[in-house]
Amino acid sequence: MSQGIKQFTLCVLMALSLFSVAASAEGIKLKTADLERVDNDWLLNATFKIELTPGLEDAVQKGVVLYFQTEFDLTRSRWYWFDEKPALAQRSIRLSYQPMTQQYRIASEGFAFSANTIFEALQAVGSIGGWRVIDGSQIDSSKSYTAALRMSLDLSKLPKPFQVNALNNRDWNISSDWVRFPFSPNGPNLIKR
């Protein structure tokens, strides 16, 4: 009898660990980020891996438009005062589903893209290329800075009934952690995860 209880307990623990791994796989994670200098400006190239929860994926299929917000900030620590923030940038990307054409539509700042699958659509949402985040006149090339980057689902742009639901439901709150990395105006600025 004791052997049967041990086996049952082991099976339950294994099932719970598999469920927690599957649940934690959903969300947004930064894969790569790179700041490249073009003329006097710095452009951000980044790739996020986005996995929607079943509830969010179902909502998109039923016509709810999702807005993903990417935030970038550059800071320089100062011992004598608050940290200096020479550069702050935000960008919004819109994801929707068109039932008539059975395609996903991604739009951001004049750029529009259509995808046949949710996987392709989320890849397009998570790919950022050539986003101007730092003006060269904002920074001092002799100083070191810290760059920070994150992407999240913008709950404030959801329809009101969904906003109330999102406050009570963790499945709707998907966001990457802030990823901070050193930025030097004179060196390579690349992060891979």
Side-chain angles (χ1 to χ4, degrees):
M1 189 70 157
S2 146
Q3 183 69 16
I5 292 173
K6 287 181 184 177
Q7 288 178 343
F8 176 74
T9 306
L10 180 62
C11 287
V12 168
L13 290 174
M14 287 176 55
L16 287 174
S17 68
L18 288 174
F19 177 73
S20 67
V21 168
S24 66
E26 297 161 341
I28 304 173
K29 292 177 183 59
L30 179 67
K31 289 170 49 177
T32 62
D34 169 28
L35 285 166
E36 69 173 316
R37 187 177 194 148
V38 176
D39 298 328
N40 199 30
D41 298 329
W42 288 88
L43 306 180
L44 175 70
N45 300 306
T47 308
F48 289 90
K49 181 178 181 183
I50 304 170
E51 293 184 13
L52 297 181
T53 62
L56 279 171
E57 196 169 327
D58 188 47
V60 170
Q61 291 277 330
K62 291 183 176 163
V64 176
V65 177
L66 300 182
Y67 291 86
F68 291 88
Q69 183 169 342
T70 308
E71 300 170 86
F72 174 86
D73 92 22
L74 189 69
T75 59
R76 184 175 67 85
S77 297
R78 297 188 287 194
W79 64 271
Y80 59 90
W81 197 246
F82 297 112
D83 290 349
E84 176 188 11
K85 292 191 179 271
L88 297 169
Q90 293 183 346
R91 168 184 184 159
S92 185
I93 301 170
R94 179 180 184 263
L95 171 65
S96 61
Y97 180 69
Q98 307 297 321
M100 294 289 281
T101 60
Q102 295 183 345
Q103 289 190 324
Y104 295 89
R105 186 108 170 117
I106 301 95
S108 174
E109 300 173 0
F111 166 78
F113 177 77
S114 293
N116 294 323
T117 65
I118 189 72
F119 179 75
E120 290 174 3
L122 293 174
Q123 276 188 320
V125 169
S127 298
I128 297 170
W131 179 27
R132 184 176 165 269
V133 291
I134 303 171
D135 182 347
S137 64
Q138 296 173 307
I139 58 175
D140 182 351
S141 62
S142 65
K143 304 218 178 337
S144 293
Y145 298 87
T146 300
L149 179 64
R150 85 166 177 174
M151 180 183 275
S152 60
L153 178 64
D154 190 350
L155 300 176
S156 68
K157 292 187 178 173
L158 289 172
K160 293 295 180 198
F162 290 101
Q163 287 182 20
V164 173
N165 186 35
L167 293 173
N168 299 325
N169 191 345
R170 286 184 6 166
D171 288 347
W172 286 72
N173 275 322
I174 62 169
S175 174
S176 71
D177 294 328
W178 276 102
V179 176
R180 300 184 191 291
F181 55 98
F183 170 74
S184 171
N186 299 321
N189 297 289
L190 174 67
I191 182 171
K192 288 187 179 183
R193 300 187 137 219

